[in-house]
Amino acid sequence: MAIWVKLPGCSGLVLLFLFLGLLLEVRAGKIRYSVPEETDEGFFVGNIAKDLGLQPQELAERGVRIISRGRSHLFALNPRSGSLVTSGRIDREELCAHSERCLVSFNILVEDEMKLFPAEVEIIDINDNTPQFQLEEVEFKVNEITTPGTRIPLPFGQDLDVGMNSLQSYQLSFNPHFSLDVQQGADGSQHPEMVLQSPLDREEEAVHHLLLTASDGGNPVHSGTLRIRVQVVDVNDNPPSFTQAQYHMSVPENVPLGTQLLIVKATDPDEGANGEVTYSFHNIDHKVAQIFQLDSYTGEISNKKPLDFEEYKIYPIEIQAQDGAGLMARTKVLIKVLDINDNAPEVTITSVTTAVPENFPPATIIALISVHDQDSEENGHITCSIPGNLPFKLEKLVDNYYRLVTERTLDRELTSKYNITVIATDQGIPSLSTETHISLQVTDVNDNPPAFPKDSYSVYISENNPRGASIFSVTAHDADSHENAQVTYSLAEDNLQGAPLSSYVSINSDTGVLYALRALDYEQFQELLLRVTARDSGDPPLSSNVSLRIFLLDQNDNAPEILYPALPTDGSTGVELAPRSAEPGYLVTKVVAVDRDLGQNAWLSYRLLKASEPGLFTVGLHTGEVRTARALLDRDALKQSLVVAVQDHGQPPLSATVTLTVAVADSIPDVLADLGSLEIPHDSDASGLTLYLVVAVAAVSCVFLAFVIVLLALRLRRWHTSRLLQASGSGLASIPASHFVGVDGMRAFLQTYSHEVSLTADSRRSHLIFPQPNYADTLISQESCEKSEPLLITQDLLEDKKEIFSKDADIT
């Protein structure tokens, strides 16, 4: 059963916030249980889940566990039943040898809230120890003249049990000379004494044997025995006497081994063997007997094992002095151990968090720390601290527990890992300290957007770039880590001259490299304004923007364009007028040209490329003005042809030419009269083409004429044959004339091969037409072909032939 004990200065009920939103009300105090010693492992002690107000399954979910200091765990939690059980055999005498009550204290930690609940288990004693004497046999020498009533102190027995299970009574075996008397000590202990009942007579009985039995009050009763041998000696009338009734000595606990601590002194005025005194321990705890050494002849007390203030603050020792005749005296020695600062504080990390997000609020619990010092008073007073330059602090809890909490919000971008040194220092002289280190990793949250090094960028590129060429690269850095620092890039949607911006430029989402999707034209636009967005991969994602202005650099990709004189649209040639009376430098006309490029690529220069009469005209290098270089003479031709070249200053330079016709005349009527007699010069290439066409037409005509002559010869031969057959009197008169084709048919055949040659003064307009032959007008009798009958030739054949030849002659 759990007993809640109200502690001084604690409040009644406190409200705890659970991880799942449950409320747990717990009184501030200790949970107390009791359990017998020597129980088996897993023995039920108490229902800890019920006493904490939790369900059994919540013990594991909320990290409920036992923490203790200085010894191995004696108890454990059963997560299925929620009960507190023993984790092994518990020996009360080993834990609490000198305590009436044996209490084991520990703390129960609810780890998810870093809350501590003190608990205490009382170990109930069972009768598992038998009373024992330090010696198995003791010998006393008693003078035969000892008077009845003399008391002889006997060694007392020891029982490690407590209460009724401890030593309760003594019994002495029957002897007519001795009886047993048990005295009650101030501390409740029993001191057996053997009382002489009647005078002894050595000559009657020199040695008496007795048995002392010590019994406890357990069930069943356990007992131990001590054999007593009493030797009757002759008269010894002076017992030994100590110089002090009680000896006191204070020594530091770090005294070296073998140090002489104290010398006890007892004197005996008798002579001889009766005056020789020996010393021995009497009724001393067996553990104390293992620490100190007593010289039986000198009474010198020294330590043979280290003294430990934490185990014994005062060592009680009883020393007995006995002379040769058996008379005894006893004294008590109290050796007080002075504590020195020989134990450094112990620091235990009970619970620790190794990683915490950077956005956790202040007062977040990082670790639960327990400190302890085995020394006493100032030597055991501990102060716990951490370096002051860290964003953490220590908060004092109960029972020398501290918790390490955050003092402010952490920032991973400033410090991603902390090595926290916890220093526990006692107040001893000199002070001792212990350090422990806690490593804390600050995990990242997406609290930083990507950042560009500049607020805006400007880049200059040349126009007419290749498609897919890289034109610029932007980079944004994110101070976060892992996926929170993975940056992707994109372009804001926009339109440029009615087309989406994404059709001109794209960006690699991973590298931030910008590519031109098409060749950019300076004459179309001079700059592009883009907005690049950098977005991280956090949840939620953060982003930032930067403006990018792309300036196009002009290239010499446009030739000069001549605005004046404009080329006529009707095929005629424009004419400029220069009077014969013009003086040198007379402005005849001006060539006007522009270049769509910019800067040096648009700087134009003019020069006279070709002139029908060199030296007559000049062209201004930068103005394009055509002026007379000298006075016009009568011998100068009326029509002057000038070819002016316009060239820019790009690399490489581009140029354009224009042909000017200048008429040299004083008035417009003179110009019109003279221009009528002008022949348009023929281009040499065009003249050659015309010559080839004429030759081709002549060749075709010759071939055709030869074909006609051969055809006529064949016809005449067949006609001659038919005449011979007619003369032979064959009956051909009956054959219808409709079965033959007359000369009219031949004329029709010849007419289908007529052709036309048209030549103009301008060789570019010369053309030759060959009409397709028309066989529809030629009718040939099928029967005449099959029967090979002669043709009927009339007189009109010769007349038609003459007309045909006359037409052919006209054509050629």
Side-chain angles (χ1 to χ4, degrees):
M1 177 179 178
I3 305 173
W4 290 89
V5 180
K6 189 72 174 182
L7 295 180
C10 294
S11 59
L13 296 177
V14 294
L15 188 64
L16 300 178
F17 179 76
L18 297 180
F19 178 71
L20 300 176
L22 301 175
L23 294 178
L24 176 65
E25 293 183 352
V26 179
R27 296 181 180 89
K30 283 188 177 181
I31 306 174
R32 287 187 175 177
Y33 301 103
S34 61
V35 61
E37 65 171 330
E38 302 294 341
T39 55
D40 295 332
E41 180 180 355
F43 184 83
F44 174 81
V45 179
N47 193 337
I48 196 69
K50 178 181 178 181
D51 294 332
L52 291 177
L54 302 175
Q55 296 297 323
Q57 62 271 16
E58 289 186 275
L59 296 182
E61 294 174 359
R62 302 190 58 188
V64 178
R65 59 190 176 94
I66 296 174
I67 55 175
S68 60
R69 180 182 63 241
R71 55 175 62 125
S72 59
H73 290 300
L74 301 176
F75 303 98
L77 293 176
N78 188 327
R80 290 183 297 176
S81 63
S83 58
L84 181 69
V85 298
T86 58
S87 59
R89 188 185 69 86
I90 301 176
D91 187 357
R92 181 197 174 283
E93 288 73 35
E94 183 180 350
L95 293 176
C96 313
H98 302 283
S99 300
E100 184 69 22
R101 299 185 62 194
C102 185
L103 301 176
V104 177
S105 299
F106 53 88
N107 291 281
I108 300 174
L109 172 65
V110 182
E111 192 162 7
D112 63 343
E113 293 185 353
M114 294 292 183
K115 297 294 185 181
L116 287 172
F117 297 92
E120 190 176 77
V121 178
E122 181 178 1
I123 309 300
I124 304 300
D125 182 53
I126 64 173
N127 192 22
D128 59 338
N129 290 280
T130 301
Q132 293 180 350
F133 292 93
Q134 189 174 357
L135 300 175
E136 294 182 357
E137 184 178 7
V138 64
E139 181 181 1
F140 297 101
K141 294 180 179 181
V142 181
N143 196 289
E144 62 179 337
I145 62 172
T146 302
T147 60
T150 302
R151 294 176 175 271
I152 303 174
L154 299 177
F156 55 81
Q158 292 183 354
D159 194 329
L160 297 180
D161 294 325
V162 295
M164 291 300 298
N165 295 325
S166 64
L167 194 150
Q168 298 293 320
S169 61
Y170 291 94
Q171 287 181 337
L172 186 65
S173 60
F174 175 77
N175 188 285
H177 297 282
F178 299 96
S179 64
L180 179 66
D181 186 19
V182 179
Q183 300 292 326
Q184 196 76 17
D187 57 353
S189 60
Q190 296 181 0
H191 300 281
E193 294 179 346
M194 188 170 57
V195 182
L196 181 61
Q197 296 292 330
S198 59
L200 298 176
D201 187 355
R202 190 187 70 82
E203 289 72 23
E204 181 182 349
E205 189 174 2
V207 178
H208 297 269
H209 296 277
L210 298 95
L211 185 65
L212 178 64
T213 302
S215 303
D216 60 23
N219 186 15
V221 176
H222 294 161
S223 62
T225 59
L226 173 67
R227 296 191 301 273
I228 303 174
R229 183 173 182 271
V230 180
Q231 183 177 359
V232 182
V233 296
D234 286 337
V235 176
N236 181 20
D237 54 350
N238 292 294
S241 175
F242 284 96
T243 58
Q244 297 182 24
Q246 194 173 59
Y247 292 85
H248 294 271
M249 182 66 183
S250 297
V251 294
E253 62 176 325
N254 63 342
V255 63
L257 297 181
T259 301
Q260 177 182 318
L261 304 179
L262 183 68
I263 297 178
V264 293
K265 183 66 176 177
T267 60
D268 192 325
D270 294 326
E271 294 181 355
N274 294 333
E276 295 178 357
V277 179
T278 58
Y279 304 92
S280 63
F281 289 126
H282 180 73
N283 289 338
I284 186 174
D285 188 273
H286 68 283
K287 289 184 178 181
V288 177
Q290 295 175 359
I291 296 175
F292 297 97
Q293 182 176 359
L294 175 63
D295 190 316
S296 60
Y297 297 103
T298 63
E300 178 182 314
I301 302 175
S302 59
N303 62 321
K304 59 182 179 180
K305 286 188 177 181
L307 306 183
D308 190 358
F309 173 85
E310 287 70 39
E311 185 176 1
Y312 284 96
K313 295 178 176 58
I314 297 178
Y315 289 94
I317 303 173
E318 188 173 357
I319 296 178
Q320 174 179 283
Q322 184 174 0
D323 60 19
L327 297 182
M328 297 173 292
R330 294 181 182 87
T331 187
K332 194 168 187 179
V333 177
L334 299 178
I335 299 178
K336 182 178 182 182
V337 181
L338 301 179
D339 183 38
I340 63 169
N341 195 22
D342 59 342
N343 292 284
E346 299 173 3
V347 181
T348 304
I349 305 298
T350 303
S351 178
V352 65
T353 300
T354 58
V356 60
E358 61 178 323
N359 63 344
F360 265 30
T364 298
I365 299 176
I366 303 301
L368 189 65
I369 304 169
S370 171
V371 294
H372 175 69
D373 196 318
Q374 296 183 10
D375 295 322
S376 64
E377 299 180 353
E378 294 299 321
N379 295 333
H381 184 71
I382 305 173
T383 58
C384 207
S385 64
I386 59 175
N389 58 344
L390 298 178
F392 305 96
K393 64 179 180 179
L394 288 171
E395 294 182 351
K396 182 74 167 61
L397 301 177
V398 297
D399 197 18
N400 285 333
Y401 278 91
Y402 292 83
R403 63 182 178 187
L404 179 67
V405 299
T406 56
E407 195 171 20
R408 60 178 182 269
T409 303
L410 305 180
D411 189 352
R412 191 204 66 84
E413 287 69 41
L414 294 179
T415 306
S416 61
K417 185 177 182 180
Y418 291 94
N419 287 318
I420 308 167
T421 301
V422 179
I423 305 173
T425 306
D426 60 26
Q427 303 300 314
I429 300 176
S431 62
L432 300 178
S433 63
T434 301
E435 294 183 359
T436 188
H437 302 278
I438 299 174
S439 181
L440 178 66
Q441 190 77 32
V442 182
T443 58
D444 184 50
V445 297
N446 195 24
D447 57 346
N448 290 280
F452 291 94
K454 297 181 180 179
D455 296 334
S456 62
Y457 294 89
S458 298
V459 60
Y460 295 86
I461 63 172
S462 299
E463 63 172 334
N464 302 322
N465 54 278
R467 293 183 59 185
S470 172
I471 57 177
F472 193 64
S473 175
V474 295
T475 303
H477 299 279
D478 197 313
D480 295 321
S481 64
H482 300 100
E483 66 275 1
N484 295 330
Q486 295 178 359
V487 180
T488 57
Y489 303 90
S490 62
L491 291 176
E493 292 293 335
D494 200 357
N495 291 326
L496 181 63
Q497 295 185 355
L501 190 62
S502 57
S503 63
Y504 291 92
V505 181
S506 69
I507 189 170
N508 188 308
S509 61
D510 296 325
T511 63
V513 178
L514 284 93
Y515 299 93
L517 300 180
R518 62 171 68 176
L520 305 179
D521 189 0
Y522 176 83
E523 287 71 37
Q524 185 180 2
F525 48 82
Q526 286 75 43
E527 64 178 81
L528 285 173
L529 181 60
L530 310 176
R531 183 165 294 277
V532 181
T533 300
R535 188 183 310 274
D536 60 29
S537 301
D539 185 18
L542 301 178
S543 63
S544 60
N545 300 320
V546 68
S547 61
L548 172 62
R549 192 178 297 271
I550 301 176
F551 295 96
L552 296 182
L553 300 178
D554 184 43
Q555 285 186 331
N556 193 27
D557 58 343
N558 292 281
E561 181 180 354
I562 299 176
L563 301 180
Y564 183 84
L567 295 177
T569 59
D570 56 357
S572 61
T573 303
V575 178
E576 302 292 340
L577 183 63
R580 289 189 177 275
S581 58
E583 297 294 331
Y586 176 79
L587 178 61
V588 177
T589 186
K590 182 178 183 179
V591 178
V592 179
V594 295
D595 195 315
R596 296 178 61 190
D597 294 323
L598 187 68
Q600 184 175 346
N601 296 329
W603 295 350
L604 302 180
S605 60
Y606 303 83
R607 62 187 177 92
L608 185 59
L609 187 64
K610 184 178 180 182
S612 57
E613 187 168 343
L616 182 56
F617 298 96
T618 61
V619 177
L621 179 62
H622 300 294
T623 62
E625 295 177 348
V626 179
R627 297 179 181 271
T628 57
R630 59 175 174 81
L632 298 176
L633 305 176
D634 293 338
R635 61 180 174 80
D636 293 330
L638 173 64
K639 188 186 74 168
Q640 298 290 333
S641 179
L642 306 176
V643 178
V644 178
V646 184
Q647 180 175 298
D648 58 26
H649 287 70
Q651 292 297 329
L654 301 178
S655 63
T657 60
V658 63
T659 301
L660 301 176
T661 300
V662 180
V664 180
D666 291 329
S667 62
I668 294 178
D670 295 339
V671 175
L672 296 176
D674 294 337
L675 288 178
S677 62
L678 293 176
E679 293 183 2
I680 301 174
H682 299 286
D683 188 87
S684 61
D685 295 337
S687 299
L689 179 61
T690 303
L691 177 61
Y692 295 147
L693 292 175
V694 171
V695 172
V697 171
V700 172
S701 299
C702 293
V703 173
F704 177 71
L705 183 59
F707 171 73
V708 172
I709 293 173
V710 172
L711 182 61
L712 288 176
L714 292 175
R715 290 290 186 183
L716 288 174
R717 183 175 178 276
R718 295 183 66 181
W719 174 75
H720 180 67
T721 303
S722 65
R723 294 288 293 177
L724 293 177
L725 292 174
Q726 187 176 8
S728 64
S730 62
L732 297 174
S734 61
I735 299 176
S738 60
H739 286 249
F740 300 94
V741 177
V743 180
D744 292 338
M746 178 61 69
R747 183 169 62 246
F749 173 79
L750 297 176
Q751 288 177 353
T752 59
Y753 280 89
S754 62
H755 56 277
E756 177 183 356
V757 177
S758 300
L759 298 176
T760 62
D762 189 357
S763 63
R764 289 187 179 88
R765 298 182 181 180
S766 301
H767 60 279
L768 176 65
I769 301 176
F770 292 94
Q772 295 293 329
N774 189 356
Y775 298 99
D777 297 334
T778 305
L779 301 176
I780 302 174
S781 175
Q782 176 130 9
E783 293 179 0
S784 63
C785 295
E786 296 174 354
K787 299 178 180 180
S788 301
E789 295 180 350
L791 295 174
L792 298 179
I793 307 227
T794 63
Q795 188 65 31
D796 295 335
L797 177 60
L798 297 176
E799 295 177 358
D800 292 337
K801 183 172 66 175
K802 292 179 181 179
E803 291 177 3
I804 292 170
F805 283 113
S806 63
K807 289 181 180 180
D808 291 336
D810 292 339
I811 292 173
T812 58

